[in-house]
PDB file of all heavy atoms in Angstrom:
ATOM      1  N   ASP B 215      38.498 -92.682  -1.427  1.00 98.00           N
ATOM      2  CA  ASP B 215      39.007 -91.442  -0.782  1.00 98.00           C
ATOM      3  C   ASP B 215      37.930 -90.900   0.159  1.00 98.00           C
ATOM      4  O   ASP B 215      36.833 -90.557  -0.281  1.00 98.00           O
ATOM      5  CB  ASP B 215      39.421 -90.468  -1.762  1.00 98.00           C
ATOM      6  CG  ASP B 215      40.239 -89.330  -1.205  1.00 98.00           C
ATOM      7  OD1 ASP B 215      40.594 -89.466  -0.061  1.00 98.00           O
ATOM      8  OD2 ASP B 215      40.536 -88.374  -1.906  1.00 98.00           O
ATOM      9  N   LEU B 216      38.253 -90.716   1.400  1.00 98.00           N
ATOM     10  CA  LEU B 216      37.298 -90.157   2.359  1.00 98.00           C
ATOM     11  C   LEU B 216      37.343 -88.640   2.310  1.00 98.00           C
ATOM     12  O   LEU B 216      36.459 -87.953   3.021  1.00 98.00           O
ATOM     13  CB  LEU B 216      37.608 -90.626   3.812  1.00 98.00           C
ATOM     14  CG  LEU B 216      37.106 -91.902   4.235  1.00 98.00           C
ATOM     15  CD1 LEU B 216      37.790 -92.390   5.504  1.00 98.00           C
ATOM     16  CD2 LEU B 216      35.637 -91.925   4.384  1.00 98.00           C
ATOM     17  N   HIS B 217      38.199 -88.002   1.573  1.00 98.00           N
ATOM     18  CA  HIS B 217      38.379 -86.599   1.728  1.00 98.00           C
ATOM     19  C   HIS B 217      38.933 -85.921   0.514  1.00 98.00           C
ATOM     20  O   HIS B 217      40.082 -85.965   0.294  1.00 98.00           O
ATOM     21  CB  HIS B 217      39.355 -86.341   2.917  1.00 98.00           C
ATOM     22  CG  HIS B 217      39.428 -84.938   3.422  1.00 98.00           C
ATOM     23  ND1 HIS B 217      39.612 -84.699   4.720  1.00 98.00           N
ATOM     24  CD2 HIS B 217      39.349 -83.781   2.783  1.00 98.00           C
ATOM     25  CE1 HIS B 217      39.627 -83.461   4.959  1.00 98.00           C
ATOM     26  NE2 HIS B 217      39.507 -82.790   3.775  1.00 98.00           N
ATOM     27  N   THR B 218      38.047 -85.365  -0.346  1.00 98.00           N
ATOM     28  CA  THR B 218      38.358 -84.684  -1.564  1.00 98.00           C
ATOM     29  C   THR B 218      37.666 -83.417  -1.747  1.00 98.00           C
ATOM     30  O   THR B 218      36.542 -83.277  -1.213  1.00 98.00           O
ATOM     31  CB  THR B 218      38.065 -85.564  -2.706  1.00 98.00           C
ATOM     32  OG1 THR B 218      38.828 -86.791  -2.685  1.00 98.00           O
ATOM     33  CG2 THR B 218      38.283 -84.935  -4.113  1.00 98.00           C
ATOM     34  N   HIS B 219      38.314 -82.399  -2.336  1.00 98.00           N
ATOM     35  CA  HIS B 219      37.580 -81.168  -2.595  1.00 98.00           C
ATOM     36  C   HIS B 219      37.365 -81.043  -4.145  1.00 98.00           C
ATOM     37  O   HIS B 219      38.368 -80.934  -4.846  1.00 98.00           O
ATOM     38  CB  HIS B 219      38.369 -79.975  -2.153  1.00 98.00           C
ATOM     39  CG  HIS B 219      38.455 -79.964  -0.611  1.00 98.00           C
ATOM     40  ND1 HIS B 219      37.507 -79.459   0.232  1.00 98.00           N
ATOM     41  CD2 HIS B 219      39.439 -80.355   0.149  1.00 98.00           C
ATOM     42  CE1 HIS B 219      37.814 -79.624   1.511  1.00 98.00           C
ATOM     43  NE2 HIS B 219      38.992 -80.133   1.515  1.00 98.00           N
ATOM     44  N   LEU B 220      36.148 -81.239  -4.586  1.00 97.00           N
ATOM     45  CA  LEU B 220      35.929 -81.171  -6.078  1.00 97.00           C
ATOM     46  C   LEU B 220      35.490 -79.882  -6.534  1.00 97.00           C
ATOM     47  O   LEU B 220      35.213 -79.662  -7.770  1.00 97.00           O
ATOM     48  CB  LEU B 220      34.805 -82.292  -6.450  1.00 97.00           C
ATOM     49  CG  LEU B 220      35.336 -83.726  -6.178  1.00 97.00           C
ATOM     50  CD1 LEU B 220      34.253 -84.684  -6.583  1.00 97.00           C
ATOM     51  CD2 LEU B 220      36.575 -84.071  -6.932  1.00 97.00           C
ATOM     52  N   ARG B 221      35.322 -78.848  -5.647  1.00 97.00           N
ATOM     53  CA  ARG B 221      35.246 -77.430  -5.965  1.00 97.00           C
ATOM     54  C   ARG B 221      33.975 -77.140  -6.771  1.00 97.00           C
ATOM     55  O   ARG B 221      33.691 -75.936  -7.188  1.00 97.00           O
ATOM     56  CB  ARG B 221      36.316 -76.952  -6.825  1.00 97.00           C
ATOM     57  CG  ARG B 221      37.691 -77.118  -6.011  1.00 97.00           C
ATOM     58  CD  ARG B 221      37.784 -76.355  -4.873  1.00 97.00           C
ATOM     59  NE  ARG B 221      39.171 -76.284  -4.314  1.00 97.00           N
ATOM     60  CZ  ARG B 221      39.399 -76.295  -3.024  1.00 97.00           C
ATOM     61  NH1 ARG B 221      38.433 -76.252  -2.045  1.00 97.00           N
ATOM     62  NH2 ARG B 221      40.667 -76.274  -2.594  1.00 97.00           N
ATOM     63  N   GLU B 222      33.076 -78.047  -7.088  1.00 97.00           N
ATOM     64  CA  GLU B 222      31.852 -77.663  -7.748  1.00 97.00           C
ATOM     65  C   GLU B 222      30.670 -78.034  -6.890  1.00 97.00           C
ATOM     66  O   GLU B 222      30.570 -79.158  -6.349  1.00 97.00           O
ATOM     67  CB  GLU B 222      31.689 -78.608  -9.056  1.00 97.00           C
ATOM     68  CG  GLU B 222      30.571 -78.247  -9.969  1.00 97.00           C
ATOM     69  CD  GLU B 222      30.466 -78.930 -11.229  1.00 97.00           C
ATOM     70  OE1 GLU B 222      31.356 -79.909 -11.457  1.00 97.00           O
ATOM     71  OE2 GLU B 222      29.619 -78.588 -12.071  1.00 97.00           O
ATOM     72  N   PRO B 223      29.684 -77.049  -6.746  1.00 97.00           N
ATOM     73  CA  PRO B 223      29.651 -75.785  -7.232  1.00 97.00           C
ATOM     74  C   PRO B 223      30.532 -74.745  -6.659  1.00 97.00           C
ATOM     75  O   PRO B 223      30.945 -74.784  -5.507  1.00 97.00           O
ATOM     76  CB  PRO B 223      28.121 -75.419  -6.924  1.00 97.00           C
ATOM     77  CG  PRO B 223      27.856 -76.139  -5.700  1.00 97.00           C
ATOM     78  CD  PRO B 223      28.589 -77.497  -5.708  1.00 97.00           C
ATOM     79  N   GLY B 224      30.829 -73.712  -7.498  1.00 96.00           N
ATOM     80  CA  GLY B 224      31.452 -72.475  -6.987  1.00 96.00           C
ATOM     81  C   GLY B 224      32.784 -72.202  -7.577  1.00 96.00           C
ATOM     82  O   GLY B 224      33.046 -71.029  -7.863  1.00 96.00           O
ATOM     83  N   ARG B 225      33.733 -73.151  -7.653  1.00 96.00           N
ATOM     84  CA  ARG B 225      35.057 -72.792  -8.158  1.00 96.00           C
ATOM     85  C   ARG B 225      35.385 -73.720  -9.331  1.00 96.00           C
ATOM     86  O   ARG B 225      36.405 -74.400  -9.345  1.00 96.00           O
ATOM     87  CB  ARG B 225      36.117 -72.821  -7.090  1.00 96.00           C
ATOM     88  CG  ARG B 225      36.110 -71.669  -6.069  1.00 96.00           C
ATOM     89  CD  ARG B 225      36.217 -70.364  -6.778  1.00 96.00           C
ATOM     90  NE  ARG B 225      37.430 -70.181  -7.621  1.00 96.00           N
ATOM     91  CZ  ARG B 225      38.653 -69.768  -7.055  1.00 96.00           C
ATOM     92  NH1 ARG B 225      38.735 -69.291  -5.870  1.00 96.00           N
ATOM     93  NH2 ARG B 225      39.717 -69.653  -8.007  1.00 96.00           N
ATOM     94  N   GLU B 226      34.567 -73.745 -10.272  1.00 96.00           N
ATOM     95  CA  GLU B 226      34.740 -74.596 -11.399  1.00 96.00           C
ATOM     96  C   GLU B 226      35.968 -74.144 -12.226  1.00 96.00           C
ATOM     97  O   GLU B 226      36.322 -75.058 -13.089  1.00 96.00           O
ATOM     98  CB  GLU B 226      33.558 -74.632 -12.307  1.00 96.00           C
ATOM     99  CG  GLU B 226      32.283 -75.305 -11.749  1.00 96.00           C
ATOM    100  CD  GLU B 226      31.511 -74.355 -10.807  1.00 96.00           C
ATOM    101  OE1 GLU B 226      31.973 -73.204 -10.599  1.00 96.00           O
ATOM    102  OE2 GLU B 226      30.454 -74.724 -10.331  1.00 96.00           O
ATOM    103  N   ASP B 227      36.567 -73.076 -11.880  1.00 96.00           N
ATOM    104  CA  ASP B 227      37.812 -72.711 -12.605  1.00 96.00           C
ATOM    105  C   ASP B 227      38.949 -73.519 -12.165  1.00 96.00           C
ATOM    106  O   ASP B 227      39.980 -73.606 -12.859  1.00 96.00           O
ATOM    107  CB  ASP B 227      38.114 -71.186 -12.554  1.00 96.00           C
ATOM    108  CG  ASP B 227      38.272 -70.741 -11.080  1.00 96.00           C
ATOM    109  OD1 ASP B 227      37.462 -71.159 -10.250  1.00 96.00           O
ATOM    110  OD2 ASP B 227      39.281 -70.033 -10.798  1.00 96.00           O
TER     111      ASP B 227
END
Side-chain angles (χ1 to χ4, degrees):
Chain B
D215 192 8
L216 277 168
H217 192 144
T218 293
H219 295 276
L220 297 182
R221 303 297 189 215
E222 185 174 8
R225 286 304 302 268
E226 291 84 351
D227 60 313

